[in-house]
Amino acid sequence: MTTYHGVFEPTAIAATSNDAWVRNIVCASALDNGNIVKLKGGKSATDGESEVWTAVVPSAADGLTDLWMVYSGEEIPLAVSGDSVYKGLNLDPRNFYTLADKVVSAYKPFLGDIIKVSAAALGGSFILNTTTHVNAVDNTGGFKLLWGNSQTASVLSYKLIAVSYISLATGAINTQRQDAYVFECVGL
């Protein structure tokens, strides 16, 4: 069975007009675009990474506010074989992710930001007319926002505003679609 990574599109985010809300990060875990992280411990101590922030999985102990969202802006799928990493061998953006300990960009979400994400980028299950929000959860949810029946107070939260799709280039003559969800940021 093929495991796909989340696909993420920042439809309208405040960070596109302010570089202060975009940072380079590094994490000890592999990350998908659309994952949420906590910047903890300041900047990386690794040589050559003096302008790179250290990211960790969000936890209730550290607070589920002031979170950042991973977005490299470049969904070129990876193929990994041993210590070798190959980019661009297939066109499916569901095969894109950032390897552990590699630098990637993240942006600061703001109220009113509009994003579109595939189901693989979210934790839990979407139930029509029941699940209306995705919320940051303790690290048991990993780096994904989790579906919920309402907004969770005092955490990063997005309200579902549309069920949509993301077009996938397959490299073949046809084009496929992936179910996706459009959200508005309603809680930080």
Side-chain angles (χ1 to χ4, degrees), residues 42-104:
K43 293 184 178 177
S44 172
T46 303
D47 285 342
E49 294 182 358
S50 62
E51 296 302 317
V52 178
W53 297 80
T54 303
V56 297
V57 66
S59 72
D62 295 326
L64 296 173
T65 59
D66 195 28
L67 301 179
W68 293 69
M69 188 166 279
V70 176
Y71 179 58
S72 74
E74 173 184 321
E75 293 199 29
I76 299 174
L78 301 177
V80 179
S81 177
D83 292 335
S84 299
V85 179
Y86 304 95
K87 281 184 154 186
L89 294 180
N90 89 28
L91 301 175
D92 192 337
R94 296 172 299 178
N95 292 329
F96 175 83
Y97 64 100
T98 300
L99 297 168
D101 300 316
K102 298 295 180 185
V103 176
V104 66

Side-chain angles (χ1 to χ4, degrees), residues 1 16 69 154 166:
M1 180 175 156
T16 58
M69 188 166 279
S154 303
I166 295 173

Side-chain angles (χ1 to χ4, degrees), residues 6-36:
V7 179
F8 172 79
E9 292 180 7
T11 304
I13 59 172
T16 58
S17 62
N18 190 330
D19 289 341
W21 300 329
V22 178
R23 293 189 180 166
N24 289 322
I25 65 166
V26 66
C27 184
S29 300
L31 296 169
D32 289 351
N33 277 337
N35 281 167
I36 54 171

Side-chain angles (χ1 to χ4, degrees), residues 159-164 180-183:
K159 179 181 179 182
L160 177 67
I161 57 175
V163 177
S164 186
Y181 308 94
V182 180
F183 295 99

